[in-house]
Amino acid sequence: MDLGGAWRAAVADEDLRRTWLETDDDHDWDPVTVPGHWRSDRSFADSDGPLLYRTRFEHDGPADPDERWWLRFDGIFYQGDVWLDGSYVGDTEGYFFPHTFEVTESLAARREHTLGVEVTCNRPGDLTAKRNITGSFQHAPYVDPASNPAGIWRPVRLERTGPVRIRHVRVRCRDANDRLATVAFRAVLDAATACEVALRSTVGEREVIEQRRLAAGENQVEWTVGIDEPALWWPHALGNQPLHEATVEVTPLDDAGEPVGDGPSHRVVRRVGLREVALKSWVLHVNGERIFLKGASQGPSTLRLAEATAEDLARDVQLAKDANLDLLRLHAHVSRPELYAAADEAGMLIWQDFPLYRGYSRSIRKQAQRQAREAVDLLAHHPSVAIWCAHDEPLTVDHDAGAGLDDLTAPVRYVLAQELPSWNRSILDRSVKRAIEKADGSRPVIAHSGVLPHPPQLDGTDTHVSFGWNHGDERDLPGFARALPRLVRFVSGFGSQSVPESAEFARPEQWPALDWEALAEHHGMATSVFERRIPAVDHPSFRSWQQATQEYQAELLRHHVETLRRLKYRPTGGFALAGFADSQPAVSAAILDHERVPKPAYAALALACRPVIVVADRLPAEVVGGDTLALDVHVISDLRAPIEQLEVGARLSWTGGEQRWRFGGAVAADTCIRVGTLQVEVPDRPGPLVLDLVLSGKGLGDDPIERTDRSRIIVG
């Protein structure tokens, strides 16, 4: 029975809390939509709550003695206290997973019922000691700090079962190869009385039935199902994505071992893919095949996630696939079920962050461990979920926002935050990591992201870099990689902000007198960085400045991606750029704005991430006539088969002249190979110096692959 629709709500105060359960008079309460976020309703558009929710419904109660009824909340942002007919039912904490309460006796006592929920989602005060495990919904560079995702944002319903309910079920593919796949099940069964049950589980056509003895109350059971010669699930770059329905049914048995009732007491269905993943030296292997991960970090599809449609979520996955990406990193949040289903179908890998970003209070450790186990229950069956990460940037050196790896305004504090032990990094992150590993064990788990090597473990994690934006020059990445190869094993967080096409929120008609303070506070704009990199004062119009920011972003991303692809497996296992699609109107590092209008960086990324590319050492920004250059040319292939009879043509041109080269041969599968070196003496003629590369051959399609680089000759 669906209990969603138009509820009534009022902002909680102490007087109302004392009376709201005792009276039917709520005529002066305002309507609120369930499921939804209360700020989407006009009456609560500016409210931080808490809110008292109430609805009435009729129900005839159990039809027979073995029938049990359950009240299920699929998601509450962030905490809730639940009452039914004036009696306290229980509390909830955690926004992304369901909470269930048995209400059989309450439904049997009367026909008309009143359901009340007090919902709380406080906005964080001290960002270095947050208590809500809401991740990027309440703290992220691309999120308006004045926003609040509060509300009963997922469906509410009554569910009927027999005497035994499957309270929790965890399904995961433990291992898989061409000969055998093993699917592991774990279930928590709630039995009204001690009884014998038949536990039936299926994976596709494979069926296993076991008889178990249950005690009254909760029972934990675990078992496995083996599938011979399985059809394996692959990322889209490696193969197909067969999916199988996995079911768990529990049926009580009588003394003679015969089923009681007309059918199972409860049935749960999940969809699984059979595959095995491992992370070795930051190179991901799927079913034993290595894959260079080309990815992007994705925040919530929208800050009001209840309002995203299944089509919206699937579109984001498809847009990532169309950009030739293999991976979406769900930054510091758990998304809607439809996104994971779309990723399973599309063969898009997911790096799943637990909802922790920057600094947290010491009081959350046990709650974080509990929610980590819930995350595994919720997501473990999805083959697309390939990597768990417990915490992003667990640094707390800045009271306002925390200092991350991009913040070099206070170098001493930054280094200390990286190298000295901290409660967040040393205790909280390890606790969450252990909880996930114990609950899953079939996927790699990273304790934290964006952490440099530090005592006592000098390994470090993925590296967040920001050359050409928060620090340094966008040309610095190759030198950084040569000097510190350990820090480019997996590179994430790179990019630059740009102004989107859908920029009405910036009030461009007011140029140049934009509300810069509001853009920084509510739309994520790094105004001080823009002043250094792309100053507005250098542009006569908003459009000119907007295009300059977009062109700068596109150029930076393309060069960074090409640099990292040239380091394929030696030592780089992949990358995830800073932003894919905006969650709200923003000036951000995303390459798609909040309306999913692409910036030029989207096309640049798609070109740089093609399965096969040709790239040469980058020309210096300026060269002096008479200088000698040696430019290595590489071909990078992500294809699973070798390519025969490839040809690379190179042309270096300047005012009044040119020089040409041609290379031919084969390229092995899944490799980066140097095909030649361009020996150049720079002509003593001022003007542009242009290098054009063309890659052609069988297996590349009808259109050749082209690349252009430019420099400027000055006279020495």
Side-chain angles (χ1 to χ4, degrees), residues 496-512:
S496 68
Q497 291 189 347
S498 67
V499 181
E501 288 297 316
S502 308
E504 294 79 8
F505 65 90
R507 306 290 296 274
E509 69 277 4
Q510 296 182 358
W511 179 267

Side-chain angles (χ1 to χ4, degrees), residues 305-334:
L305 199 53
E307 298 168 14
T309 66
E311 292 75 19
D312 293 335
L313 297 161
R315 178 180 59 171
D316 284 350
V317 172
Q318 187 60 48
L319 286 167
K321 189 174 179 178
D322 292 344
N324 297 314
L325 298 181
D326 309 296
L327 175 81
L328 278 178
R329 174 180 181 171
L330 298 187
H331 178 249
H333 78 288
V334 176

Side-chain angles (χ1 to χ4, degrees), residues 17 24 40 42 45 62 84 112 126 131 142 196 271 309 351 380 391 454 456 461 510 516 558 604 656 663 701 715:
R17 284 191 179 100
D24 291 334
S40 295
R42 183 181 303 175
L84 182 61
E112 295 181 350
D126 183 355
R131 288 180 168 81
Y142 47 81
E196 292 282 339
R271 192 172 62 164
T309 66
W351 168 318
H391 195 164
H454 59 280
T461 68
Q510 296 182 358
W516 302 105
R558 183 164 187 174
F663 309 97
V715 177

Side-chain angles (χ1 to χ4, degrees), residues 60 76 78 113 129 175 186 192 262 267 375 382 417 463 495 582 603 694:
D60 292 330
I76 295 178
Y78 166 69
H113 305 276
D175 48 63
R186 176 187 180 273
D262 297 330
R267 182 174 189 262
H382 289 288
T463 302
D582 278 326
V694 178

